[in-house]
Every structure is written in structure tokens, then in C-alpha cells.
Amino acid sequence: MNFQDQLNSKLKSAMREKNKVALESLRAIKSAILLLQTQLGTKETPDDNEITKLLQKLVKQRKESASIFREQGRVDLAEPEEAQIEIISQFLPEQLSAE
């Protein structure tokens, strides 16, 4: 199962479960991939390396937003960002440990 199929499958299950945070996260991933395809000028799915970089960028953006919201005392805005980080991180390969 390729990445697009996995993404669409998770998107459908999130719709069925009415999971708002998961839907927002998965739609953000799908949107970012479509933008990347447009920038590359291809209709093919970007390779795994490009998708990994894209997902890392999305996680980084949300971490920065969450930290800014926390600094400003806006926990109500930081928590959804942190929840999206968890969902997007599911698609990233596991990070190597310090060992």
C-alpha cells in the first residue's frame, strides 16, 4: 500500500469517526502533497524522501505554533496543534535513538 492509499484510508476512517483533529491534520497533509506536486509540475506522487521532508516541515510548523501559543498563555490553541503533531508523526519513519 503506497502513501496516498494509506492517507486516503485514514482520511475515510477519520470521517466515519467524525474525528475533527484527525481530519484537519490529514487534509493538511493531502493539501501539502498536492501543492508539492504542482510545484514539481508532475502528476505523479512525490517519492518517499520528498514526502518525509514535507511531513517533517508540517510537524515543525505546528511545534513552532504550539510553542508560541503556550508562551502567550493560549493553551486552547496550543492543544489542537499538538494533537495534529501526533497524527502527522504517525506517517513519519521512527527516529533513531541516541544509542
Side-chain angles (χ1 to χ4, degrees), residues 42-74:
T42 63
K43 293 187 177 183
E44 298 174 9
T45 304
D47 65 6
D48 290 343
N49 197 22
E50 292 171 331
I51 289 176
T52 302
K53 287 179 186 176
L54 182 71
L55 294 174
Q56 288 172 337
K57 179 181 172 185
L58 291 173
V59 168
K60 181 181 177 189
Q61 289 173 342
R62 279 155 181 78
K63 282 182 181 178
E64 290 172 357
S65 296
S67 68
I68 290 170
F69 290 141
R70 289 231 180 250
E71 287 172 10
Q72 296 175 349
R74 297 295 309 263

PDB file of all heavy atoms in Angstrom, residues 42-74:
ATOM      1  N   THR A  42       4.445  17.767 -11.800  1.00  0.00           N
ATOM      2  CA  THR A  42       4.165  16.383 -12.152  1.00  0.00           C
ATOM      3  C   THR A  42       2.824  15.959 -11.588  1.00  0.00           C
ATOM      4  O   THR A  42       2.309  16.562 -10.654  1.00  0.00           O
ATOM      5  CB  THR A  42       5.237  15.420 -11.588  1.00  0.00           C
ATOM      6  OG1 THR A  42       5.199  15.491 -10.163  1.00  0.00           O
ATOM      7  CG2 THR A  42       6.609  15.766 -12.088  1.00  0.00           C
ATOM      8  N   LYS A  43       2.277  14.915 -12.175  1.00  0.00           N
ATOM      9  CA  LYS A  43       1.040  14.358 -11.661  1.00  0.00           C
ATOM     10  C   LYS A  43       1.319  13.120 -10.820  1.00  0.00           C
ATOM     11  O   LYS A  43       0.440  12.555 -10.211  1.00  0.00           O
ATOM     12  CB  LYS A  43       0.091  14.007 -12.802  1.00  0.00           C
ATOM     13  CG  LYS A  43      -0.415  15.222 -13.526  1.00  0.00           C
ATOM     14  CD  LYS A  43      -1.458  14.876 -14.534  1.00  0.00           C
ATOM     15  CE  LYS A  43      -1.975  16.150 -15.184  1.00  0.00           C
ATOM     16  NZ  LYS A  43      -3.049  15.887 -16.128  1.00  0.00           N
ATOM     17  N   GLU A  44       2.574  12.715 -10.799  1.00  0.00           N
ATOM     18  CA  GLU A  44       2.957  11.544 -10.031  1.00  0.00           C
ATOM     19  C   GLU A  44       3.103  11.910  -8.557  1.00  0.00           C
ATOM     20  O   GLU A  44       3.373  13.050  -8.202  1.00  0.00           O
ATOM     21  CB  GLU A  44       4.289  10.996 -10.539  1.00  0.00           C
ATOM     22  CG  GLU A  44       4.243  10.546 -11.976  1.00  0.00           C
ATOM     23  CD  GLU A  44       5.604  10.136 -12.492  1.00  0.00           C
ATOM     24  OE1 GLU A  44       6.542  10.033 -11.684  1.00  0.00           O
ATOM     25  OE2 GLU A  44       5.715   9.919 -13.688  1.00  0.00           O
ATOM     26  N   THR A  45       2.932  10.913  -7.728  1.00  0.00           N
ATOM     27  CA  THR A  45       3.124  11.107  -6.296  1.00  0.00           C
ATOM     28  C   THR A  45       4.608  11.352  -6.023  1.00  0.00           C
ATOM     29  O   THR A  45       5.455  10.652  -6.572  1.00  0.00           O
ATOM     30  CB  THR A  45       2.675   9.851  -5.523  1.00  0.00           C
ATOM     31  OG1 THR A  45       1.319   9.572  -5.872  1.00  0.00           O
ATOM     32  CG2 THR A  45       2.781  10.053  -4.039  1.00  0.00           C
ATOM     33  N   PRO A  46       4.927  12.331  -5.196  1.00  0.00           N
ATOM     34  CA  PRO A  46       6.340  12.550  -4.843  1.00  0.00           C
ATOM     35  C   PRO A  46       6.919  11.299  -4.185  1.00  0.00           C
ATOM     36  O   PRO A  46       6.186  10.517  -3.579  1.00  0.00           O
ATOM     37  CB  PRO A  46       6.283  13.716  -3.855  1.00  0.00           C
ATOM     38  CG  PRO A  46       4.967  14.367  -4.079  1.00  0.00           C
ATOM     39  CD  PRO A  46       4.049  13.307  -4.577  1.00  0.00           C
ATOM     40  N   ASP A  47       8.224  11.137  -4.293  1.00  0.00           N
ATOM     41  CA  ASP A  47       8.843   9.942  -3.702  1.00  0.00           C
ATOM     42  C   ASP A  47       8.843  10.036  -2.174  1.00  0.00           C
ATOM     43  O   ASP A  47       8.530  11.065  -1.591  1.00  0.00           O
ATOM     44  CB  ASP A  47      10.241   9.700  -4.258  1.00  0.00           C
ATOM     45  CG  ASP A  47      11.231  10.803  -3.893  1.00  0.00           C
ATOM     46  OD1 ASP A  47      10.867  11.698  -3.119  1.00  0.00           O
ATOM     47  OD2 ASP A  47      12.368  10.741  -4.377  1.00  0.00           O
ATOM     48  N   ASP A  48       9.193   8.933  -1.543  1.00  0.00           N
ATOM     49  CA  ASP A  48       9.140   8.841  -0.079  1.00  0.00           C
ATOM     50  C   ASP A  48      10.022   9.876   0.602  1.00  0.00           C
ATOM     51  O   ASP A  48       9.668  10.412   1.653  1.00  0.00           O
ATOM     52  CB  ASP A  48       9.546   7.439   0.383  1.00  0.00           C
ATOM     53  CG  ASP A  48       8.498   6.396   0.035  1.00  0.00           C
ATOM     54  OD1 ASP A  48       7.354   6.787  -0.264  1.00  0.00           O
ATOM     55  OD2 ASP A  48       8.823   5.201   0.077  1.00  0.00           O
ATOM     56  N   ASN A  49      11.168  10.171   0.006  1.00  0.00           N
ATOM     57  CA  ASN A  49      12.090  11.145   0.590  1.00  0.00           C
ATOM     58  C   ASN A  49      11.453  12.537   0.632  1.00  0.00           C
ATOM     59  O   ASN A  49      11.540  13.243   1.645  1.00  0.00           O
ATOM     60  CB  ASN A  49      13.395  11.146  -0.212  1.00  0.00           C
ATOM     61  CG  ASN A  49      14.529  11.792   0.535  1.00  0.00           C
ATOM     62  OD1 ASN A  49      14.511  11.889   1.752  1.00  0.00           O
ATOM     63  ND2 ASN A  49      15.530  12.220  -0.208  1.00  0.00           N
ATOM     64  N   GLU A  50      10.794  12.928  -0.464  1.00  0.00           N
ATOM     65  CA  GLU A  50      10.156  14.240  -0.521  1.00  0.00           C
ATOM     66  C   GLU A  50       8.975  14.314   0.443  1.00  0.00           C
ATOM     67  O   GLU A  50       8.755  15.331   1.091  1.00  0.00           O
ATOM     68  CB  GLU A  50       9.696  14.541  -1.944  1.00  0.00           C
ATOM     69  CG  GLU A  50      10.843  14.752  -2.912  1.00  0.00           C
ATOM     70  CD  GLU A  50      10.371  14.835  -4.354  1.00  0.00           C
ATOM     71  OE1 GLU A  50       9.339  14.211  -4.680  1.00  0.00           O
ATOM     72  OE2 GLU A  50      11.040  15.513  -5.137  1.00  0.00           O
ATOM     73  N   ILE A  51       8.225  13.219   0.534  1.00  0.00           N
ATOM     74  CA  ILE A  51       7.086  13.194   1.441  1.00  0.00           C
ATOM     75  C   ILE A  51       7.552  13.289   2.885  1.00  0.00           C
ATOM     76  O   ILE A  51       6.960  14.003   3.692  1.00  0.00           O
ATOM     77  CB  ILE A  51       6.231  11.931   1.204  1.00  0.00           C
ATOM     78  CG1 ILE A  51       5.493  12.057  -0.133  1.00  0.00           C
ATOM     79  CG2 ILE A  51       5.234  11.721   2.338  1.00  0.00           C
ATOM     80  CD1 ILE A  51       4.700  10.851  -0.538  1.00  0.00           C
ATOM     81  N   THR A  52       8.636  12.597   3.216  1.00  0.00           N
ATOM     82  CA  THR A  52       9.177  12.658   4.576  1.00  0.00           C
ATOM     83  C   THR A  52       9.597  14.078   4.922  1.00  0.00           C
ATOM     84  O   THR A  52       9.298  14.581   6.016  1.00  0.00           O
ATOM     85  CB  THR A  52      10.366  11.696   4.736  1.00  0.00           C
ATOM     86  OG1 THR A  52       9.926  10.369   4.431  1.00  0.00           O
ATOM     87  CG2 THR A  52      10.919  11.729   6.137  1.00  0.00           C
ATOM     88  N   LYS A  53      10.280  14.752   3.997  1.00  0.00           N
ATOM     89  CA  LYS A  53      10.681  16.144   4.234  1.00  0.00           C
ATOM     90  C   LYS A  53       9.462  17.031   4.440  1.00  0.00           C
ATOM     91  O   LYS A  53       9.455  17.916   5.307  1.00  0.00           O
ATOM     92  CB  LYS A  53      11.503  16.670   3.058  1.00  0.00           C
ATOM     93  CG  LYS A  53      12.892  16.101   2.978  1.00  0.00           C
ATOM     94  CD  LYS A  53      13.620  16.659   1.775  1.00  0.00           C
ATOM     95  CE  LYS A  53      14.972  16.005   1.589  1.00  0.00           C
ATOM     96  NZ  LYS A  53      15.651  16.480   0.365  1.00  0.00           N
ATOM     97  N   LEU A  54       8.434  16.799   3.642  1.00  0.00           N
ATOM     98  CA  LEU A  54       7.207  17.582   3.731  1.00  0.00           C
ATOM     99  C   LEU A  54       6.527  17.382   5.084  1.00  0.00           C
ATOM    100  O   LEU A  54       6.112  18.345   5.739  1.00  0.00           O
ATOM    101  CB  LEU A  54       6.256  17.184   2.594  1.00  0.00           C
ATOM    102  CG  LEU A  54       4.945  17.928   2.512  1.00  0.00           C
ATOM    103  CD1 LEU A  54       5.205  19.360   2.054  1.00  0.00           C
ATOM    104  CD2 LEU A  54       4.013  17.229   1.561  1.00  0.00           C
ATOM    105  N   LEU A  55       6.454  16.123   5.536  1.00  0.00           N
ATOM    106  CA  LEU A  55       5.831  15.828   6.823  1.00  0.00           C
ATOM    107  C   LEU A  55       6.634  16.433   7.972  1.00  0.00           C
ATOM    108  O   LEU A  55       6.053  16.957   8.936  1.00  0.00           O
ATOM    109  CB  LEU A  55       5.683  14.319   7.013  1.00  0.00           C
ATOM    110  CG  LEU A  55       4.715  13.625   6.060  1.00  0.00           C
ATOM    111  CD1 LEU A  55       4.769  12.121   6.256  1.00  0.00           C
ATOM    112  CD2 LEU A  55       3.303  14.140   6.232  1.00  0.00           C
ATOM    113  N   GLN A  56       7.956  16.380   7.871  1.00  0.00           N
ATOM    114  CA  GLN A  56       8.800  16.990   8.899  1.00  0.00           C
ATOM    115  C   GLN A  56       8.567  18.493   8.958  1.00  0.00           C
ATOM    116  O   GLN A  56       8.536  19.094  10.036  1.00  0.00           O
ATOM    117  CB  GLN A  56      10.268  16.689   8.636  1.00  0.00           C
ATOM    118  CG  GLN A  56      10.648  15.258   8.897  1.00  0.00           C
ATOM    119  CD  GLN A  56      12.055  14.917   8.445  1.00  0.00           C
ATOM    120  OE1 GLN A  56      12.619  15.578   7.569  1.00  0.00           O
ATOM    121  NE2 GLN A  56      12.610  13.859   9.015  1.00  0.00           N
ATOM    122  N   LYS A  57       8.376  19.106   7.809  1.00  0.00           N
ATOM    123  CA  LYS A  57       8.111  20.540   7.749  1.00  0.00           C
ATOM    124  C   LYS A  57       6.770  20.869   8.413  1.00  0.00           C
ATOM    125  O   LYS A  57       6.666  21.830   9.174  1.00  0.00           O
ATOM    126  CB  LYS A  57       8.093  20.997   6.289  1.00  0.00           C
ATOM    127  CG  LYS A  57       7.797  22.449   6.084  1.00  0.00           C
ATOM    128  CD  LYS A  57       7.786  22.801   4.611  1.00  0.00           C
ATOM    129  CE  LYS A  57       7.287  24.210   4.394  1.00  0.00           C
ATOM    130  NZ  LYS A  57       7.149  24.528   2.968  1.00  0.00           N
ATOM    131  N   LEU A  58       5.751  20.045   8.152  1.00  0.00           N
ATOM    132  CA  LEU A  58       4.440  20.263   8.765  1.00  0.00           C
ATOM    133  C   LEU A  58       4.501  20.129  10.284  1.00  0.00           C
ATOM    134  O   LEU A  58       3.905  20.920  11.014  1.00  0.00           O
ATOM    135  CB  LEU A  58       3.414  19.279   8.188  1.00  0.00           C
ATOM    136  CG  LEU A  58       3.017  19.476   6.725  1.00  0.00           C
ATOM    137  CD1 LEU A  58       2.126  18.342   6.254  1.00  0.00           C
ATOM    138  CD2 LEU A  58       2.332  20.814   6.518  1.00  0.00           C
ATOM    139  N   VAL A  59       5.251  19.137  10.756  1.00  0.00           N
ATOM    140  CA  VAL A  59       5.403  18.936  12.201  1.00  0.00           C
ATOM    141  C   VAL A  59       6.133  20.124  12.816  1.00  0.00           C
ATOM    142  O   VAL A  59       5.740  20.636  13.864  1.00  0.00           O
ATOM    143  CB  VAL A  59       6.135  17.607  12.503  1.00  0.00           C
ATOM    144  CG1 VAL A  59       6.551  17.530  13.956  1.00  0.00           C
ATOM    145  CG2 VAL A  59       5.254  16.428  12.150  1.00  0.00           C
ATOM    146  N   LYS A  60       7.186  20.586  12.154  1.00  0.00           N
ATOM    147  CA  LYS A  60       7.961  21.715  12.662  1.00  0.00           C
ATOM    148  C   LYS A  60       7.086  22.968  12.764  1.00  0.00           C
ATOM    149  O   LYS A  60       7.151  23.697  13.762  1.00  0.00           O
ATOM    150  CB  LYS A  60       9.161  21.972  11.748  1.00  0.00           C
ATOM    151  CG  LYS A  60      10.036  23.102  12.219  1.00  0.00           C
ATOM    152  CD  LYS A  60      11.194  23.341  11.290  1.00  0.00           C
ATOM    153  CE  LYS A  60      12.008  24.532  11.747  1.00  0.00           C
ATOM    154  NZ  LYS A  60      13.022  24.927  10.769  1.00  0.00           N
ATOM    155  N   GLN A  61       6.261  23.212  11.737  1.00  0.00           N
ATOM    156  CA  GLN A  61       5.386  24.375  11.762  1.00  0.00           C
ATOM    157  C   GLN A  61       4.430  24.325  12.948  1.00  0.00           C
ATOM    158  O   GLN A  61       4.215  25.317  13.639  1.00  0.00           O
ATOM    159  CB  GLN A  61       4.562  24.453  10.470  1.00  0.00           C
ATOM    160  CG  GLN A  61       5.344  24.828   9.255  1.00  0.00           C
ATOM    161  CD  GLN A  61       4.521  24.718   7.983  1.00  0.00           C
ATOM    162  OE1 GLN A  61       3.477  24.065   7.949  1.00  0.00           O
ATOM    163  NE2 GLN A  61       4.998  25.343   6.913  1.00  0.00           N
ATOM    164  N   ARG A  62       3.882  23.150  13.189  1.00  0.00           N
ATOM    165  CA  ARG A  62       2.929  23.012  14.285  1.00  0.00           C
ATOM    166  C   ARG A  62       3.608  23.119  15.641  1.00  0.00           C
ATOM    167  O   ARG A  62       3.030  23.656  16.584  1.00  0.00           O
ATOM    168  CB  ARG A  62       2.151  21.705  14.136  1.00  0.00           C
ATOM    169  CG  ARG A  62       1.025  21.894  13.136  1.00  0.00           C
ATOM    170  CD  ARG A  62       0.585  20.631  12.472  1.00  0.00           C
ATOM    171  NE  ARG A  62      -0.485  20.905  11.518  1.00  0.00           N
ATOM    172  CZ  ARG A  62      -0.281  21.426  10.308  1.00  0.00           C
ATOM    173  NH1 ARG A  62       0.927  21.752   9.922  1.00  0.00           N
ATOM    174  NH2 ARG A  62      -1.287  21.646   9.486  1.00  0.00           N
ATOM    175  N   LYS A  63       4.837  22.616  15.751  1.00  0.00           N
ATOM    176  CA  LYS A  63       5.579  22.748  17.015  1.00  0.00           C
ATOM    177  C   LYS A  63       5.850  24.218  17.318  1.00  0.00           C
ATOM    178  O   LYS A  63       5.713  24.663  18.452  1.00  0.00           O
ATOM    179  CB  LYS A  63       6.901  21.979  16.951  1.00  0.00           C
ATOM    180  CG  LYS A  63       6.747  20.495  17.136  1.00  0.00           C
ATOM    181  CD  LYS A  63       8.086  19.811  17.118  1.00  0.00           C
ATOM    182  CE  LYS A  63       7.933  18.312  17.282  1.00  0.00           C
ATOM    183  NZ  LYS A  63       9.220  17.603  17.232  1.00  0.00           N
ATOM    184  N   GLU A  64       6.241  24.957  16.283  1.00  0.00           N
ATOM    185  CA  GLU A  64       6.507  26.379  16.480  1.00  0.00           C
ATOM    186  C   GLU A  64       5.236  27.120  16.882  1.00  0.00           C
ATOM    187  O   GLU A  64       5.260  27.954  17.791  1.00  0.00           O
ATOM    188  CB  GLU A  64       7.096  26.986  15.207  1.00  0.00           C
ATOM    189  CG  GLU A  64       8.506  26.521  14.910  1.00  0.00           C
ATOM    190  CD  GLU A  64       9.022  26.969  13.555  1.00  0.00           C
ATOM    191  OE1 GLU A  64       8.263  27.604  12.779  1.00  0.00           O
ATOM    192  OE2 GLU A  64      10.196  26.678  13.258  1.00  0.00           O
ATOM    193  N   SER A  65       4.131  26.806  16.214  1.00  0.00           N
ATOM    194  CA  SER A  65       2.861  27.447  16.548  1.00  0.00           C
ATOM    195  C   SER A  65       2.450  27.128  17.971  1.00  0.00           C
ATOM    196  O   SER A  65       2.028  28.016  18.728  1.00  0.00           O
ATOM    197  CB  SER A  65       1.760  26.981  15.591  1.00  0.00           C
ATOM    198  OG  SER A  65       2.032  27.377  14.279  1.00  0.00           O
ATOM    199  N   ALA A  66       2.570  25.855  18.342  1.00  0.00           N
ATOM    200  CA  ALA A  66       2.172  25.443  19.696  1.00  0.00           C
ATOM    201  C   ALA A  66       3.021  26.143  20.750  1.00  0.00           C
ATOM    202  O   ALA A  66       2.496  26.580  21.781  1.00  0.00           O
ATOM    203  CB  ALA A  66       2.287  23.928  19.843  1.00  0.00           C
ATOM    204  N   SER A  67       4.323  26.267  20.498  1.00  0.00           N
ATOM    205  CA  SER A  67       5.179  26.923  21.493  1.00  0.00           C
ATOM    206  C   SER A  67       4.844  28.410  21.605  1.00  0.00           C
ATOM    207  O   SER A  67       4.833  28.965  22.714  1.00  0.00           O
ATOM    208  CB  SER A  67       6.659  26.726  21.158  1.00  0.00           C
ATOM    209  OG  SER A  67       7.011  27.429  19.994  1.00  0.00           O
ATOM    210  N   ILE A  68       4.540  29.045  20.493  1.00  0.00           N
ATOM    211  CA  ILE A  68       4.147  30.460  20.536  1.00  0.00           C
ATOM    212  C   ILE A  68       2.841  30.619  21.308  1.00  0.00           C
ATOM    213  O   ILE A  68       2.706  31.516  22.146  1.00  0.00           O
ATOM    214  CB  ILE A  68       4.016  31.035  19.106  1.00  0.00           C
ATOM    215  CG1 ILE A  68       5.397  31.154  18.471  1.00  0.00           C
ATOM    216  CG2 ILE A  68       3.305  32.387  19.123  1.00  0.00           C
ATOM    217  CD1 ILE A  68       5.375  31.487  16.996  1.00  0.00           C
ATOM    218  N   PHE A  69       1.882  29.729  21.027  1.00  0.00           N
ATOM    219  CA  PHE A  69       0.607  29.809  21.738  1.00  0.00           C
ATOM    220  C   PHE A  69       0.797  29.589  23.239  1.00  0.00           C
ATOM    221  O   PHE A  69       0.175  30.257  24.051  1.00  0.00           O
ATOM    222  CB  PHE A  69      -0.399  28.785  21.187  1.00  0.00           C
ATOM    223  CG  PHE A  69      -0.895  29.107  19.802  1.00  0.00           C
ATOM    224  CD1 PHE A  69      -1.098  28.097  18.876  1.00  0.00           C
ATOM    225  CD2 PHE A  69      -1.184  30.402  19.418  1.00  0.00           C
ATOM    226  CE1 PHE A  69      -1.565  28.374  17.615  1.00  0.00           C
ATOM    227  CE2 PHE A  69      -1.652  30.701  18.146  1.00  0.00           C
ATOM    228  CZ  PHE A  69      -1.844  29.679  17.241  1.00  0.00           C
ATOM    229  N   ARG A  70       1.660  28.642  23.598  1.00  0.00           N
ATOM    230  CA  ARG A  70       1.911  28.371  25.026  1.00  0.00           C
ATOM    231  C   ARG A  70       2.565  29.581  25.697  1.00  0.00           C
ATOM    232  O   ARG A  70       2.252  29.908  26.832  1.00  0.00           O
ATOM    233  CB  ARG A  70       2.780  27.137  25.194  1.00  0.00           C
ATOM    234  CG  ARG A  70       2.041  25.865  24.851  1.00  0.00           C
ATOM    235  CD  ARG A  70       2.181  24.846  25.946  1.00  0.00           C
ATOM    236  NE  ARG A  70       1.467  23.646  25.588  1.00  0.00           N
ATOM    237  CZ  ARG A  70       0.347  23.260  26.197  1.00  0.00           C
ATOM    238  NH1 ARG A  70      -0.154  23.972  27.166  1.00  0.00           N
ATOM    239  NH2 ARG A  70      -0.259  22.152  25.829  1.00  0.00           N
ATOM    240  N   GLU A  71       3.509  30.229  24.984  1.00  0.00           N
ATOM    241  CA  GLU A  71       4.162  31.411  25.545  1.00  0.00           C
ATOM    242  C   GLU A  71       3.163  32.526  25.805  1.00  0.00           C
ATOM    243  O   GLU A  71       3.321  33.301  26.746  1.00  0.00           O
ATOM    244  CB  GLU A  71       5.245  31.919  24.587  1.00  0.00           C
ATOM    245  CG  GLU A  71       6.485  31.056  24.528  1.00  0.00           C
ATOM    246  CD  GLU A  71       7.441  31.504  23.431  1.00  0.00           C
ATOM    247  OE1 GLU A  71       7.237  32.582  22.842  1.00  0.00           O
ATOM    248  OE2 GLU A  71       8.388  30.757  23.160  1.00  0.00           O
ATOM    249  N   GLN A  72       2.155  32.602  24.950  1.00  0.00           N
ATOM    250  CA  GLN A  72       1.152  33.657  25.087  1.00  0.00           C
ATOM    251  C   GLN A  72       0.007  33.253  26.013  1.00  0.00           C
ATOM    252  O   GLN A  72      -0.948  34.006  26.179  1.00  0.00           O
ATOM    253  CB  GLN A  72       0.593  34.021  23.706  1.00  0.00           C
ATOM    254  CG  GLN A  72       1.627  34.617  22.797  1.00  0.00           C
ATOM    255  CD  GLN A  72       1.106  34.865  21.398  1.00  0.00           C
ATOM    256  OE1 GLN A  72       0.029  34.413  21.024  1.00  0.00           O
ATOM    257  NE2 GLN A  72       1.876  35.585  20.603  1.00  0.00           N
ATOM    258  N   GLY A  73       0.116  32.054  26.588  1.00  0.00           N
ATOM    259  CA  GLY A  73      -0.918  31.597  27.505  1.00  0.00           C
ATOM    260  C   GLY A  73      -2.184  31.115  26.822  1.00  0.00           C
ATOM    261  O   GLY A  73      -3.236  31.057  27.448  1.00  0.00           O
ATOM    262  N   ARG A  74      -2.087  30.783  25.557  1.00  0.00           N
ATOM    263  CA  ARG A  74      -3.257  30.321  24.797  1.00  0.00           C
ATOM    264  C   ARG A  74      -3.226  28.807  24.663  1.00  0.00           C
ATOM    265  O   ARG A  74      -2.999  28.249  23.597  1.00  0.00           O
ATOM    266  CB  ARG A  74      -3.280  30.969  23.413  1.00  0.00           C
ATOM    267  CG  ARG A  74      -3.419  32.471  23.397  1.00  0.00           C
ATOM    268  CD  ARG A  74      -4.755  32.968  23.959  1.00  0.00           C
ATOM    269  NE  ARG A  74      -5.914  32.334  23.396  1.00  0.00           N
ATOM    270  CZ  ARG A  74      -6.646  32.825  22.402  1.00  0.00           C
ATOM    271  NH1 ARG A  74      -6.312  33.963  21.855  1.00  0.00           N
ATOM    272  NH2 ARG A  74      -7.700  32.173  21.972  1.00  0.00           N
TER     273      ARG A  74
END
